């Protein structure tokens, strides 16, 4: 059971890193450092909105899986 939890957490971590890099790659280089489009509010549309929602979903799933992992194993480091 714990091996499956660890494996699922690793897969989610890799997917979360990939989607964050994809999200940062779709904006300007300054966006990676928090300098892109400062003060220009705009709506997310289409693929950008989907990638953003997927990022939030993966982050929530990763957090939930980490909490379950701690509860099941009783040890935060595994």
């Amino acid at each position: 059971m714990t091996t499956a939890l660890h494996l699922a957490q690793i897969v989610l971590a890799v997917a979360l890193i990939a989607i964050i890099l994809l999200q940062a790659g779709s904006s300007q280089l300054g966006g990676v450092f928090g300098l892109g489009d400062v003060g220009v509010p705009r709506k997310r549309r289409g693929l950008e909105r989907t990638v953003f929602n997927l990022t939030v979903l993966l982050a929530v799933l990763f957090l939930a899986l980490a909490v379950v992992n701690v509860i099941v194993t009783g040890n935060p480091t595994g």
Side-chain angles (χ1 to χ4, degrees):
M1 173 87 176
T2 59
T3 304
L5 284 173
H6 291 308
L7 185 61
Q9 198 167 7
I10 290 170
V11 169
L12 267 177
V14 170
L16 186 59
I17 290 169
I19 201 78
I20 287 172
L21 289 176
L22 180 67
Q23 188 175 13
S26 66
S27 65
Q28 298 175 351
L29 182 61
V32 175
F33 304 107
L35 302 174
D37 292 335
V38 175
V40 181
R42 62 184 184 90
K43 284 188 167 185
R44 292 181 177 90
R45 297 178 183 225
L47 184 62
E48 184 181 4
R49 184 176 186 176
T50 304
V51 170
F52 175 76
N53 289 338
L54 187 59
T55 304
V56 171
L57 176 68
L58 285 175
V60 169
L61 287 175
F62 182 80
L63 180 65
L65 191 60
V67 169
V68 168
N69 196 4
V70 169
I71 291 171
V72 168
T73 61
N75 185 2
T77 59

